[in-house]
Amino acid sequence: MKRILFYAFFYVILPLSGINHSANAQLRKDGFVLSYDGTFLEKYVGKESYVILPTSVTDIAAGAFWECKSLKFIAIPPAVETIGHSAFFNCKNLKTVCVSWSTPLKLDYNPFRNLNLGKMKLEVPRGTRSRYALAPVWKEFGEMVEYNLF
């Protein structure tokens, strides 16, 4: 009963989190359920372990990767402006998150709920590690590695 109530709460409250859910989403062959203009990632239903989000994505829905057991690596493009609450909830095999913002994305909610960030790696652009080390949520990653954008 508690689990049913939790899911009911999740699906009623989280759409109010400031991200507009798409009424007309399309499923692509690569497992992404996107708005027709490709900017809003509603859900990922693929089974890949190494996922690079489409460069057109600007918003990731709350719970978009909910309990995606196959996910081990995610690359988030620089166009992303919003990551919804619990977007990567319980993705137990997720080990690496790669981002490309020069300034850490401000997170109003924790998109990595129910994950041990202390055992995960965050890949950030060269010269930005100190900013991520101070940013809420991002600073919780156990390992931060800088990479060259070009």
Side-chain angles (χ1 to χ4, degrees):
M1 182 66 168
K2 286 182 183 179
R3 188 175 180 118
I4 291 171
L5 289 175
F6 174 76
Y7 287 116
F9 174 80
F10 180 80
Y11 287 108
V12 170
I13 298 300
L14 291 184
L16 305 176
S17 66
I19 299 176
N20 296 323
H21 288 266
S22 170
N24 298 311
Q26 61 177 334
L27 173 61
R28 294 180 7 170
K29 65 181 176 183
D30 53 9
F32 296 108
V33 178
L34 298 169
S35 58
Y36 280 107
D37 65 0
T39 61
F40 182 74
L41 174 64
E42 181 79 32
K43 184 83 178 144
Y44 178 71
V45 295
K47 300 294 182 202
E48 299 298 321
S49 59
Y50 185 93
V51 174
I52 299 173
L53 294 180
T55 57
S56 63
V57 172
T58 60
D59 299 291
I60 302 171
F65 289 83
W66 186 273
E67 294 188 338
C68 182
K69 303 295 187 220
S70 62
L71 188 63
K72 293 181 181 178
F73 173 95
I74 184 80
I76 303 172
V80 170
E81 300 169 349
T82 309
I83 303 175
H85 188 274
S86 300
F88 301 96
F89 177 83
N90 212 28
C91 294
K92 293 293 188 184
N93 293 313
L94 182 59
K95 301 296 180 218
T96 305
V97 176
C98 180
V99 298
S100 51
W101 306 289
S102 58
T103 301
L105 183 67
K106 182 180 180 283
L107 299 172
D108 293 326
Y109 306 101
N110 184 357
F112 307 102
R113 271 193 54 241
N114 211 35
L115 296 178
N116 185 349
L117 295 180
K119 293 186 176 183
M120 293 174 59
K121 177 168 56 170
L122 178 64
E123 295 180 356
V124 300
R126 184 151 318 281
T128 64
R129 185 174 189 264
S130 60
R131 287 181 223 143
Y132 281 89
L134 296 172
V137 180
W138 303 112
K139 68 183 178 184
E140 303 300 324
F141 280 80
E143 181 182 0
M144 279 190 212
V145 177
E146 292 185 326
Y147 68 90
N148 290 321
L149 282 172
F150 303 101

